[in-house]
Amino acid sequence: MRLSLAFTGRPGKSSMAQPQPLKRLGHSAIVGQTGSGKTTLARLLLDSSRRNVIIDPKLEFALPDWMDRSSLLHRGNTLTAHTPDEAVHLIKRRQEHVIYKPRPEFTKPSDYDPVLEAIYRRGSMDVYIDECAMVCRTHMDYPEKLRWIMQQGRSKHIRMMIATQRPSGFPLCIVSECLQFYAFRVIMSTDIKRIVEFNGEYSEPPEYHFWYRGYQDARPYLCTVDLGGDRE
């Protein structure tokens, strides 16, 4: 699948830019309400990932029907774990694609630490967390190994992708390590304020659009995803 960012506008400029390859530059944050498109974007990014762990405390992550059945996620024989021990075992045995859907008794922030430590020790993989607010419950109550992996994971070739509906709850030590920021539609004033802090500015994007800002960009771009004609 040929996946690109289609730049549809930029504050203060009306010229259209050519679609640019959508690349993972490091840790990423994806924010937006339910149904705004953040999970679809995450699936597309993960489809080009050769090794990944999906941490799914909402127990809702699934591959969409339109995704190519020859994609890496399908070819990699994705396995699901429901306890920290199961997830650690799959990661240590070098399973290519793991979805961790924790049981209710394993959803305290500290319960994620063994899984995150196993990810760090293995290295060279992408990690997607959806929903971050269920892993990081407050600004002070979050997995210690998540802060550790956000700060040191790049040296182990680990790329974190963290999604949330409520960016106002992002611990600063987590989101400040993100080099890419994708902002879909949000409504709450506290969430908008947090997006402005990291994105520089924000206005509600049209349907299927988001504001994108990379670490080298002075201001955010309004974008959508160009699938290059590969999706019906």
Side-chain angles (χ1 to χ4, degrees):
M1 180 179 291
R2 188 169 71 255
L3 187 61
S4 302
L5 278 181
F7 294 88
T8 60
R10 186 175 183 179
K13 294 188 177 182
S14 59
S15 60
M16 299 286 286
Q18 293 297 316
Q20 301 295 315
L22 183 54
K23 297 179 180 180
R24 296 285 307 283
L25 302 176
H27 302 325
S28 307
I30 306 176
V31 304
Q33 291 181 304
T34 299
S36 62
K38 64 182 186 298
T39 304
T40 297
L41 175 63
R43 289 182 183 126
L44 291 167
L45 291 168
L46 286 167
D47 191 45
S48 61
S49 169
R50 294 188 175 276
R51 290 175 295 276
N52 54 61
V53 174
I54 298 162
I55 298 176
D56 178 29
K58 294 195 301 181
L59 312 181
E60 295 178 355
F61 186 90
L63 296 175
D65 292 338
W66 53 259
M67 185 170 277
D68 183 0
R69 296 293 153 174
S70 65
S71 71
L72 289 171
L73 279 174
H74 287 286
R75 292 204 309 269
N77 187 25
T78 302
L79 295 181
T80 301
H82 299 285
T83 70
D85 286 346
E86 290 174 359
V88 169
H89 173 71
L90 292 177
I91 294 165
K92 284 185 175 180
R93 81 174 201 184
R94 310 192 77 78
Q95 174 67 28
E96 288 187 343
H97 306 295
V98 177
I99 300 180
Y100 178 40
K101 296 176 178 285
R103 293 174 182 158
E105 61 267 35
F106 299 113
T107 55
K108 299 191 302 294
S110 59
D111 291 331
Y112 294 96
D113 279 328
V115 179
L116 292 165
E117 182 169 1
I119 289 169
Y120 180 81
R121 292 189 180 282
R122 178 176 172 183
S124 298
M125 63 170 49
D126 293 333
V127 182
Y128 174 55
I129 299 179
D130 183 24
E131 149 79 40
C132 182
M134 298 178 69
V135 176
C136 303
R137 294 184 177 177
T138 70
H139 290 280
M140 301 299 294
D141 188 13
Y142 54 83
E144 177 61 26
K145 297 302 183 184
L146 179 57
R147 181 181 63 84
W148 182 45
I149 208 170
M150 292 295 291
Q151 294 176 346
Q152 303 183 39
R154 284 187 289 271
S155 66
K156 299 277 288 186
H157 306 290
I158 297 170
R159 299 182 298 185
M160 301 293 295
M161 184 165 49
I162 301 177
T164 186
Q165 301 175 35
R166 297 301 310 276
S168 58
F170 259 142
L172 181 61
C173 63
I174 304 300
V175 71
S176 62
E177 296 293 332
C178 294
L179 298 183
Q180 294 175 297
F181 201 88
Y182 304 86
F184 287 85
R185 184 178 67 254
V186 298
I187 293 178
M188 299 293 291
S189 60
T190 52
D191 293 330
I192 293 173
K193 181 179 178 181
R194 176 52 66 92
I195 291 175
V196 171
E197 289 176 6
F198 290 98
N199 226 27
E201 52 194 274
Y202 179 82
S203 60
E204 184 173 329
E207 191 175 15
Y208 306 125
H209 288 68
F210 53 89
W211 291 102
Y212 167 80
R213 185 177 182 180
Y215 74 102
Q216 292 181 324
D217 297 323
R219 301 176 72 184
Y221 292 88
L222 183 62
C223 300
T224 187
V225 174
D226 180 359
L227 298 178
D230 292 327
R231 176 181 170 187
E232 294 294 332

